Amino acid sequence: MPIRNNPFGVGFSGEEKWVEGELRCQCCALPFAARYNSADPVPPTWCPQCVDHHPAPHEPLPQRLARAEAHSAVYKQRMVTMARALSATRRELRHVAAEIDHARRDGRQQAAAAYESRDELQEVLVAVAREHVPARGACSCGKRVCPTAAAIDGSGRAGRRVRTAAEDLEMREYD
Ligand SMILES: [Zn+2]
Ligand SMILES: [Zn+2]
Ligand SMILES: [Zn+2]
């Protein structure tokens, strides 16, 4: 009994081994998954669909035609499958693109909202600063010692910016 008909499977002789891989059918030219014994002199040449109709020398024409027809049916089926996969991929891409677009718009809205609230905050601070301008030993609000003016003047760069904005506004009003 030849080793490759061994009913015990793997490793009977100690030299053969089951190999799994993708092969290309020599009949229909399509790839197919194959599991074969490394002890076989050649790996499978035909895919399961072609095993029964693979080419032989001096074949009559009807047999060759039948094979071509069988192949064309398989190719058609493959094309339908691929077209479906393609349109599924396209749908997925459109979906991703829409999500990116959505995220971008959200991001822009958030940035706009942030600018808006920053401007609002600055307006409030400028309004406060205009009521508390230090002048000749007292604050313009009337207090001799004004904690609000001190807070504005003591808040460094932000305070200077608020004062400058308030003064700009004051000057523009006198223009
Ligand atoms: Zn084939
Ligand atoms: Zn074939
Ligand atoms: Zn004041």
Side-chain angles (χ1 to χ4, degrees), residues 17 28 34 40 54 59 63 70 89 119 125 130-131 144 149 159-160 167:
K17 202 168 81 188
C28 67
D40 284 354
H54 63 78
E59 271 181 314
Q63 211 167 307
T89 306
D119 284 354
L125 287 173
R130 289 176 73 192
E131 300 302 316
R144 213 166 245 294
R160 279 196 296 281
E167 279 157 22

Side-chain angles (χ1 to χ4, degrees), residues 95-167:
H95 184 75
V96 170
E99 274 185 352
I100 290 173
D101 199 48
H102 192 80
R104 271 204 195 120
R105 251 176 302 159
D106 269 7
R108 275 202 294 270
Q109 269 169 12
Q110 271 173 23
Y115 281 127
E116 215 169 89
S117 66
R118 203 190 63 179
D119 284 354
E120 280 168 7
L121 202 60
Q122 175 146 343
E123 264 172 45
V124 171
L125 287 173
V126 166
V128 171
R130 289 176 73 192
E131 300 302 316
H132 300 274
V133 182
R136 280 194 222 105
C139 183
S140 63
C141 72
K143 277 183 192 147
R144 213 166 245 294
V145 180
C146 176
T148 309
I152 293 168
D153 293 331
S155 55
R157 210 156 57 131
R160 279 196 296 281
R161 257 174 60 189
V162 166
R163 279 268 181 244
T164 313
E167 279 157 22

Side-chain angles (χ1 to χ4, degrees), residues 28-75:
C28 67
L30 293 172
F32 67 102
R35 187 169 184 272
Y36 57 96
N37 200 306
S38 65
D40 284 354
V42 279
T45 316
W46 326 114
C47 76
Q49 277 151 332
C50 296
V51 167
D52 297 328
H53 78 179
H54 63 78
H58 313 300
E59 271 181 314
L61 187 61
Q63 211 167 307
R64 277 155 56 192
L65 275 177
R67 185 165 54 238
E69 266 175 20
H71 285 172
S72 120
V74 173
Y75 297 154

